[in-house]
Amino acid sequence: MKRPTILVLGAGYGGLSTVVRLQKQLGSDQADIVLINKNEYHYESTWLHEASAGTLTPEQVRYDISKVIDAQKVTFIQATVEGIDIKEKLVTSSVGTHTYDYLVIALGFEGETFGIPGLDKYALSIANVKAARYIREHMEHQFATWSVEKEKDDSRLTIVVGGAGFTGIEFLGELGNRVPEMCEEFDVPFEKVRILCVEAAPMVLPGFDEELVNYAVSQLESKGIEFSIGTPVVEATPEGVKIKKGEDEFEFIKAGTVVWAAGVRGNRLIEETGIENMRARVKVDKDLRAPGHDDVFIVGDCALMINEEINRPYPPTAQIAMQQGDTCADNIVALLKGEPTTEFVPDLKGSVCSLGSDDAIGVVFGKKLTGKKASFMKKMVDNRALYMIGGVGLTLKKGKFDVL
């Protein structure tokens, strides 16, 4: 009897959690587990802001997929997914075609530019390891060039960050620590540097406790970071960005670096599957299956689930993606055994936003934390994610232990 094929697309938090749990529950004679991912490594996307600022190296935020999968049970294919045909149960990649009995779509996020002219061409996005490396090198190039120019262009030292959500604030926190280091390295006077956060919404970190938000803004401002809230970016150019400050009032900010961190969407391949979606995110059934498709599961950034208590979607966090991966694996095993699937119920342990390597804000188990205590919890959350995937060995190798 032919073994069923479980095809997992993407090795982010959701996809890799699914595979790791499947390989623990299924023998090699029970199913063929196939994982397709563009890169041979997994990267901690919640650490990309650190690699982008230069407070971590790209090598520190990633690890080889081969280190955490069982090659006796899982076939790993390094390839780019190019198409998903739900009707024919066929996936096309850069190395060929792949059939499946059960499909797990965990293709992660893409940056959302909201149609703002020039943003996709002239703004940098904290999208992946390669993009993070480029942002770091780009900023260093601007500082280095300024230091050797005869007629110095101070706008090279202006960094505009679009977005005051989680990613934007965490990136600003790292910049607050990294920019003084770059100033010393490239002989740049700190007072020449300008770091500006531009946010279209009327608030910083929407959904966070107001007291914690005020603490975060105060801490970042003490490091010289400026905020322009309620001022949407309306255009990006090679020289900088134009923001709207009033009904008919605009301001152009000349900047050597523009980093866009103001929104994400699911992978655009979702939009080509015929599955109903919103910005490439699918409102999945309670057991994480795509509506009307009993053999297709969707986890992570491509999955949309409503928190019925507040009637708003759960945020696409690593914590939720990993929990979805576990439930997805459990439900596939249940289907293989002819048993009913179970509902995904998030176990939200809290949320912590870093403000650099030694500062953070958060709510953990209902308790508000700031400063070093919150920073300690942030590192423990990061280490726990490593432990859940790769156990003690991976945690010791890649974990964050500078907790004091």
Side-chain angles (χ1 to χ4, degrees):
M1 184 175 177
K2 179 182 177 295
R3 291 188 300 272
T5 297
I6 304 167
L7 182 59
V8 181
L9 308 180
Y13 292 108
L16 203 53
S17 294
T18 301
V19 168
V20 168
R21 195 166 180 97
L22 281 172
Q23 70 184 14
K24 290 178 181 177
Q25 298 189 52
L26 295 174
S28 57
D29 59 334
Q30 293 177 283
D32 292 328
I33 306 169
V34 180
L35 172 63
I36 300 179
N37 194 62
K38 181 178 181 179
N39 303 304
E40 62 186 359
Y41 55 82
H42 161 92
Y43 57 83
E44 299 287 289
S45 59
T46 58
W47 301 11
L48 288 178
H49 61 283
E50 296 169 90
S52 299
T55 50
L56 286 181
T57 67
E59 289 69 31
Q60 287 175 292
V61 305
R62 72 187 195 188
Y63 55 82
D64 290 344
I65 292 170
S66 62
K67 302 295 185 183
V68 296
I69 61 172
D70 183 347
Q72 301 297 317
K73 296 182 178 181
V74 180
T75 300
F76 172 62
I77 300 174
Q78 184 180 348
T80 301
V81 178
E82 298 176 341
I84 304 171
D85 189 334
I86 299 296
K87 292 182 180 178
E88 298 296 327
K89 302 182 70 165
L90 192 69
V91 169
T92 305
S93 79
S94 55
V95 301
T97 57
H98 317 270
T99 60
Y100 64 85
D101 294 285
Y102 294 99
L103 178 67
V104 180
I105 302 176
L107 289 170
F109 69 88
E110 295 179 356
E112 177 62 90
T113 61
F114 304 104
I116 299 171
L119 209 58
D120 56 339
K121 292 183 180 179
Y122 305 118
L124 308 177
S125 177
I126 305 174
N128 51 50
V129 172
K130 294 177 182 177
R133 180 189 290 111
Y134 183 82
I135 291 171
R136 172 183 180 166
E137 292 177 352
H138 174 84
M139 291 191 299
E140 291 177 347
H141 174 74
Q142 295 292 343
F143 276 61
T145 302
W146 183 93
S147 68
V148 299
E149 284 179 330
K150 290 184 178 180
E151 296 183 8
K152 298 188 184 300
D153 179 0
D154 289 351
S155 70
R156 286 188 180 279
L157 306 178
T158 295
I159 303 170
V160 174
V161 178
F166 227 87
T167 301
I169 293 300
E170 292 200 315
F171 180 56
L172 289 166
E174 298 302 317
L175 286 180
N177 291 352
R178 175 60 181 153
V179 165
E181 295 176 352
M182 288 197 293
C183 287
E184 183 176 349
E185 181 178 351
F186 296 105
D187 295 321
V188 172
F190 180 74
E191 60 271 16
K192 292 287 188 179
V193 179
R194 185 186 186 194
I195 306 173
L196 173 65
C197 177
V198 180
E199 170 57 60
M203 66 194 75
V204 172
L205 288 172
F208 244 86
D209 178 86
E210 184 178 358
E211 180 184 355
L212 296 178
V213 171
N214 291 338
Y215 173 90
V217 172
S218 176
Q219 291 295 96
L220 294 175
E221 286 179 336
S222 72
K223 297 180 179 181
I225 295 167
E226 303 173 37
F227 287 88
S228 183
I229 305 303
T231 55
V233 173
V234 295
E235 184 183 5
T237 76
E239 288 76 38
V241 294
K242 181 192 288 187
I243 63 174
K244 185 176 182 180
K245 303 201 73 174
E247 189 64 33
D248 296 304
E249 183 184 356
F250 298 88
E251 178 185 354
F252 186 81
I253 302 167
K254 194 174 181 183
T257 303
V258 178
V259 177
W260 186 248
V264 297
R265 68 200 306 278
N267 190 286
R268 64 188 66 254
L269 289 177
I270 292 285
E271 297 171 321
E272 302 171 8
T273 63
I275 302 173
E276 186 176 348
N277 66 88
M278 181 174 62
R279 288 169 56 193
R281 299 185 71 199
V282 176
K283 188 176 180 182
V284 294
D285 292 337
K286 291 187 176 182
D287 64 357
L288 300 174
R289 282 189 279 189
H293 301 279
D294 291 343
D295 53 2
V296 178
F297 290 82
I298 303 178
V299 299
D301 296 300
C302 295
L304 180 66
M305 293 201 75
I306 303 298
N307 183 340
E308 296 178 356
E309 292 184 5
I310 58 175
N311 197 33
R312 292 189 62 181
Y314 285 105
T317 63
Q319 177 183 185
I320 288 180
M322 294 181 72
Q323 292 178 15
Q324 287 177 334
D326 288 346
T327 299
C328 175
D330 291 346
N331 282 338
I332 291 175
V333 172
L335 291 173
L336 292 176
K337 295 179 178 179
E339 298 173 354
T341 59
T342 57
E343 178 180 337
F344 171 67
V345 180
D347 179 17
L348 302 180
K349 296 175 172 59
S351 183
V352 187
C353 178
S354 69
L355 305 173
S357 62
D358 54 355
D359 199 359
I361 59 171
V363 178
V364 181
F365 299 115
K367 184 177 180 180
K368 290 190 285 188
L369 299 173
T370 61
K372 291 186 181 299
K373 288 183 179 179
S375 182
F376 172 84
M377 289 305 303
K378 176 69 172 180
K379 291 179 174 66
M380 292 304 98
V381 169
D382 290 345
N383 289 345
R384 183 177 184 275
L386 293 171
Y387 178 78
M388 296 294 289
I389 295 291
V392 174
L394 182 64
T395 308
L396 291 175
K397 183 177 181 179
K398 289 290 183 178
K400 296 179 178 179
F401 298 105
D402 54 330
V403 295
L404 298 177

